[in-house]
Amino acid sequence: MIVDMLIISFLLLVFTVVFCNAYIIIRTNGRISSDIHELPPYDTALVLGTSPLRKNGEPNPYYVNRLEMAYLLWKERKVQKILVSGTGREIRRMHEYLVGKGIPSASILCDSLGIKTYNSVVNAAAMNVGSILIVSQRFHVQRAIFFADRIGLPCHGMAAKSVVNNKTILVLAREVLAKVKAFK
């Protein structure tokens, strides 16, 4: 009896994880581009924050790839403004990085209350920044678009270059769980 309950509980858990992830991926994938040249212009790129440095002090490739994509979007005139969102330290560094690439400070908006992906999306909606293109890695953009849909914020996504390293499995496993949590 206990073994049967454990098996049923395990199967329900697996079903829930698979369902939540499949639902978000299927619902959002048609709205995420990885080719900058196929994009129409947007008013604002919302760049989702992450730590600028890895624990070993090296640059975080997720961070660098997101900001490089934001820079390319601005350079190619696909966006007029860039909204960086994250914690105070993250956005200061993001702002400095983009200014260092030649983007005028006046073209960069900062959201220091974007502590979580959901907060970043809600804050962008509240700022009335026009049409929004969410920038992060594909797996992260999927969840951000799901949140945007929940609050009625029209948007599309731009997938920054993926990262493959010794932490990739952990990052993807975290995202699988984050997609389940997104349904709360």
Side-chain angles (χ1 to χ4, degrees):
M1 182 70 148
I2 292 176
V3 171
D4 291 341
M5 292 300 289
L6 288 174
I7 291 171
I8 291 170
S9 296
F10 176 75
L11 291 175
L12 281 172
L13 177 65
V14 169
F15 173 79
T16 300
V17 169
V18 169
F19 173 81
C20 292
N21 278 267
Y23 182 85
I24 290 174
I25 291 167
I26 291 167
R27 184 168 176 158
T28 62
N29 257 353
R31 293 168 46 204
I32 303 170
S33 178
S34 32
D35 182 358
I36 197 168
H37 302 291
E38 70 182 27
L39 288 173
Y42 288 84
D43 294 318
T44 305
L46 166 60
V47 183
L48 300 173
T50 188
S51 176
L53 300 174
R54 296 174 69 183
K55 289 184 181 175
N56 64 7
E58 294 176 4
N60 179 349
Y62 292 96
Y63 168 89
V64 172
N65 292 350
R66 291 175 196 182
L67 291 174
E68 284 297 315
M69 179 54 69
Y71 168 71
L72 288 173
L73 289 165
W74 184 83
K75 181 180 168 195
E76 295 291 324
R77 299 179 190 260
K78 297 295 183 174
V79 297
Q80 297 171 7
K81 300 269 186 193
I82 297 173
L83 171 58
V84 293
S85 185
T87 66
R89 186 183 102 240
E90 288 170 358
I91 64 161
R92 277 192 303 281
R93 289 272 185 94
M94 293 166 87
H95 185 273
E96 290 169 5
Y97 186 100
L98 293 170
V99 168
K101 296 290 281 186
I103 299 177
S105 187
S107 296
I108 305 168
L109 307 170
C110 296
D111 168 25
S112 63
L113 301 176
I115 297 166
K116 296 190 179 288
T117 303
Y118 179 78
N119 300 102
S120 294
V121 171
V122 169
N123 296 345
M127 293 174 80
N128 295 317
V129 292
S131 58
I132 294 177
L133 183 66
I134 300 174
V135 178
S136 189
Q137 281 67 33
R138 178 175 291 275
F139 64 82
H140 193 196
V141 173
Q142 292 164 340
R143 187 162 41 96
I145 291 175
F146 176 75
F147 289 140
D149 287 349
R150 281 195 8 205
I151 64 167
L153 176 65
C155 68
H156 284 81
M158 183 67 198
K161 183 178 174 188
S162 297
V163 175
V164 178
N165 61 26
N166 60 344
K167 300 286 186 189
T168 301
I169 296 296
L170 292 174
V171 169
L172 294 177
R174 179 199 173 281
E175 185 60 29
V176 165
L177 298 175
K179 282 185 172 79
V180 174
K181 186 179 177 188
F183 274 82
K184 72 173 182 160

